[in-house]
């Protein structure tokens, strides 16, 4: 079983506190986890893979039929995301009559991607930005009347959820940076009237933790060591001296994980005094701690909490795959019951307040994800929906979970998907080498995982092996693995990717001259690094919102990341010191653009607040000045990735025809996808098969 939240099931967790440090994997083709066609000449594909039907791009990357299923806390309503006039909106239906569905929101441009039921079940809450700028505002829609209210009606403001409660179900604590873009002041928001009451003005802190009374109990402030100081909050006043701290090494693996309902126990995920993060319970009054769970392979990940007490009932560890351990016998019995009936991975989307009904998702890995309503008392499992029913019967491929050893002895957990029909004896290796795409995750302080991955399936269907590797610096595997990536952008982090390619070549998965590198955000940087620092290693590259200049990247981060700038400097390089600035320039692909000799495709959102458009503009101009061909696709209405399905599909159409031109795989024609999107082909339409005609 896997779980999609690491906070208690009732906690509202989107736009969480600023302790998350990552440029992240953007919303586009790389982020959807869990027609006529042609095949170009020159491919190293078996007859079986060539005969496999192409899965249409719009089936993989278009709007799902339904997604994001939730059950209201009182158990009376079911909610989900589904298209209305081609745009994802929130729908609801009575839990006892799911066919009586109605659309509740009215988005007409950008899809709604995150929503939740208010704790009192009277309204739906969702967030939305403008054109991908990530200034998310919160909106509420009354379930009975359908009336919509902008609950945080401010310009250039990004809302955070600070706390929710079982005692005060009509209110939540929110953080708003409308006064100072660097810091989020905490307000008490009345969900039914929209009234905001200032709780604390924030001039220094990266985040806060509240209890079930909606009282602030902790404040988090970055320290000079690159870690975090933790302060008690009493009666709205932050104490002057921290009661606990981390240094840089523990900064990404140690954080508070919430209070029990009585406020007497504070949970932590904590790596202090150990490598991997353990689950710790701290007695608030005495400060005494006890270890609830730990695992030497990986950090403790998600938890399930008692709906009444807030105590941990189960916890997960994600090494190669996610594994759950129940501490509560009733929860253990429920998980076992589900495990006997569901193939593949499963997890809990939401639970009712009385914990008798769960909405459960099931990822069979080689079939579309389904969502079920689980009645614990009746012991019934009722199918609610299939997310992408058009994938039923499609030639989806299994994913292999692997361990690859780096040149200096680190273990790199990795995931490999092979093209259909290439591994008839099921030994994990194709009968003959096939072209391969090295798919690099964003962050870099994030990770790849096991499960259905639309990008893996898409590329495998086109005839490529797809390899994703958790290089050093990836999270989830302990602090030493993260720290081994400090100051190693474009060096040892890149070496890990090269070692993964070498493993695939040695094993017979692919051949040296048939490997592309592709990724978003940090994965885009890795693509640029691959083509500039190691120009002979890859046949071509696809960079999506990747930074080309680390100096300008750090100087243009969003203002609400400024409290964490010391950690960026310690892990990437400090531009305020001569040696740090020199290193950042040395590791910036922009200054080695003249080394590029292989085809490059770049995709960028014009409104990206993390990796500004200038990051792509700079390297495109550098390549043009050196007469190096490049294809550059710009989306004026997107940010850190491509949220609109028509934009996502258009870029993937260009990307798969680019890869077919380079590696000789299969591709659906571009067709009218570019015209149906907002894509601007700034440079290089002639370098991708069919793109010039599509633009015309």
């Amino acid at each position: 079983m896997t779980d999609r939240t690491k906070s208690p099931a009732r906690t509202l967790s989107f736009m969480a506190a600023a302790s998350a440090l990552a440029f992240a994997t953007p919303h586009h083709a790389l982020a959807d986890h869990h027609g006529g066609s042609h095949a170009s000449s020159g491919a190293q594909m078996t007859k079986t893979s060539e005969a496999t039907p192409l899965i249409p791009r719009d089936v993989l990357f278009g709007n799902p039929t339904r997604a994001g299923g939730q059950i209201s806390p009182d158990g009376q309503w079911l909610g989900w995301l589904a298209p209305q006039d081609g745009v994802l909106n929130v729908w609801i239906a009575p839990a006892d009559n799911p066919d009586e569905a109605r659309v509740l929101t009215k988005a007409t441009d950008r899809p709604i991607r995150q929503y939740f039921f208010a704790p009192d079940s009277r309204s739906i809450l969702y967030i939305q930005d403008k054109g991908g700028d990530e200034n998310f505002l919160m909106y509420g829609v009354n379930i009975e009347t359908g009336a919509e209210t902008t609950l945080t009606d401010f310009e250039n403001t990004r809302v955070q959820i600070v706390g929710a409660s079982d005692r005060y179900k009509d209110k939540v604590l929110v953080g708003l940076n409308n006064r100072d873009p660097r810091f989020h002041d905490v307000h008490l928001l009345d969900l039914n009237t929209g009234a905001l009451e200032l709780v604390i003005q924030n001039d220094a802190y990266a985040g806060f933790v509240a209890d079930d009374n909606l009282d602030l109990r902790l404040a988090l402030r970055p320290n000079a060591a690159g870690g975090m100081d933790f302060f008690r909050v009493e009666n709205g006043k932050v104490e002057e001296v921290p009661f606990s701290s981390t240094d840089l090494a523990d900064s990404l693996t140690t954080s508070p994980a919430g209070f029990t309902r009585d406020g007497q126990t504070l949970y932590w995920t904590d790596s202090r005094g150990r490598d991997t993060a353990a689950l710790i319970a701290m007695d608030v009054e005495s400060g005494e701690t006890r270890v609830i769970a730990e695992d030497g392979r990986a950090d403790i990940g998600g938890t399930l909490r008692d709906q009444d007490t807030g105590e941990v009932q189960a916890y997960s560890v994600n090494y190669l795959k996610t594994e759950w351990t129940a501490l509560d016998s009733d929860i253990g019995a429920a998980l076992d019951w589900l495990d006997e009936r569901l193939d593949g991975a499963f997890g809990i989307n939401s639970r009712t307040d009385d914990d008798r009904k769960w909405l459960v998702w099931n990822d069979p890995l080689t079939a579309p994800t389904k969502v079920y309503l689980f009645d614990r008392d009746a012991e019934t499992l009722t199918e609610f929906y299939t997310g992408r029913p058009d994938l039923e019967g499609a030639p989806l491929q299994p994913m292999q979970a692997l361990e690859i050893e780096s040149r200096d002895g680190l273990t790199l957990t990795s995931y490999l998907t092979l093209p259909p029909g290439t591994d008839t004896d099921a030994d994990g290796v194709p009968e003959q080498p096939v072209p391969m795409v090295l798919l690099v995750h964003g962050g870099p302080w994030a990770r790849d995982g096991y499960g259905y991955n639309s990008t893996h399936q898409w590329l495998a269907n086109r005839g490529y092996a797809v390899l994703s590797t958790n290089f050093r610096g990836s999270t989830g595997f302990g602090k030493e693995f993260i720290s081994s990536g400090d100051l190693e952008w474009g060096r040892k982090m890149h070496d890990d990717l090269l070692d993964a390619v070498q493993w695939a070549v040695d094993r017979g998965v692919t051949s040296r001259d048939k490997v592309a590198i592709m990724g978003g955000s940090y994965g885009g940087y890795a693509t640029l690094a691959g083509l500039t620092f190691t120009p002979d290693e890859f046949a071509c590259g696809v960079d999506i919102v990747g930074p080309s200049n680390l100096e300008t990247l750090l100087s243009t981060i969003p203002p609400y990341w400024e409290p964490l700038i010391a950690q960026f400097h310690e892990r990437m390089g400090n531009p305020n010191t001569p040696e740090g600035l020199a290193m950042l320039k040395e590791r910036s692909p922009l200054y080695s653009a003249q080394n590029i000799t292989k085809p490059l495709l770049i995709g960028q959102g014009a409104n990206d607040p993390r990796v500004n458009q200038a990051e792509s503009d700079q390297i495109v101009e550098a390549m043009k000045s050196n007469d190096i061909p490049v294809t550059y696709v710009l989306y004026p209405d997107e940010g850190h990735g491509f949220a609109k399905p028509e934009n996502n599909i258009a870029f993937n159409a260009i990307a798969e025809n680019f890869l077919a031109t380079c590696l000789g795989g299969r591709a659906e024609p571009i067709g009218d996808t570019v015209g149906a999107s907002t894509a601007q082909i700034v440079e290089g339409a002639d370098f991708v098969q069919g793109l010039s005609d599509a633009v015309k």
Side-chain angles (χ1 to χ4, degrees), residues 164-165 167-168 173 210-217 261-262:
S165 168
R167 287 191 176 92
Y168 308 104
L173 289 171
D211 62 17
D212 197 60
N213 289 323
L214 294 180
D215 292 328
L216 296 181
R217 300 285 299 276
R261 187 167 180 179
D262 60 14

Side-chain angles (χ1 to χ4, degrees), residues 649-693:
I649 290 170
F651 186 80
N652 290 344
I654 297 169
E656 73 172 71
N657 281 274
F658 171 84
L659 292 171
T661 305
C662 168
L663 296 180
R666 308 191 303 165
E668 257 190 294
I670 294 174
D672 61 357
T673 59
V674 174
S677 75
T678 62
Q680 299 173 358
I681 312 303
V682 181
E683 296 289 340
D686 292 337
F687 305 132
V688 177
Q689 62 183 32
L691 183 53
S692 293
D693 291 338

Side-chain angles (χ1 to χ4, degrees), residues 396-437:
L396 301 176
Q397 300 305 296
M399 174 181 279
Q400 302 175 45
L402 310 164
E403 293 179 330
I404 296 173
E405 185 175 343
S406 72
R407 65 189 66 182
D408 57 354
L410 294 183
T411 300
L412 312 174
T413 61
S414 303
Y415 303 93
L416 175 67
T417 305
L418 296 176
T422 61
D423 180 21
T424 55
D425 58 2
D427 65 350
V429 180
E431 271 63 58
Q432 63 184 36
V434 297
M436 188 177 85
V437 176

Side-chain angles (χ1 to χ4, degrees), residues 466-510:
V466 190
L467 180 62
S468 296
T469 294
N470 286 308
F471 47 86
R472 70 191 67 205
S474 302
T475 53
F477 306 100
K479 64 186 181 186
E480 292 180 7
F481 193 76
I482 294 173
S483 296
S484 65
D486 290 352
L487 307 180
E488 294 295 343
W489 283 49
R491 292 298 180 266
K492 290 184 180 179
M493 293 165 73
H494 189 61
D495 288 345
D496 290 344
L497 300 176
L498 299 181
D499 292 346
V501 171
Q502 187 62 52
W503 173 90
V505 171
D506 292 343
R507 192 171 169 83
V509 173
T510 191

Side-chain angles (χ1 to χ4, degrees), residues 489 521-522 524-529 532-533 543-554 556 572 583-593 596 600 602 604 610-623 632:
W489 283 49
S521 197
Y522 177 84
Y525 166 84
T527 297
L528 298 177
T532 54
F533 303 149
D543 154 34
I544 305 167
V545 298
S548 64
N549 184 339
L550 300 185
E551 179 189 2
T552 55
L553 174 72
L554 289 175
T556 57
M572 295 176 60
M583 187 185 71
L584 288 170
K585 288 184 175 181
E586 177 196 9
R587 308 290 176 82
S588 295
L590 175 66
Y591 297 107
S592 297
I596 298 177
L600 174 61
I602 296 176
Q604 177 69 48
R610 309 185 196 193
V611 179
N612 291 180
Q613 179 184 332
E615 293 299 318
S616 293
D617 290 350
Q618 291 177 89
I619 198 159
V620 169
E621 287 303 314
M623 293 177 68
Y632 181 22

Side-chain angles (χ1 to χ4, degrees), residues 7 105 136 192 237 279 378 414 443 446 468 475 523 545 551 601 621:
S7 52
T105 57
F136 290 98
N192 296 315
K237 300 293 184 182
L279 180 63
S414 303
S468 296
T475 53
V545 298
E551 179 189 2
L601 169 64
E621 287 303 314

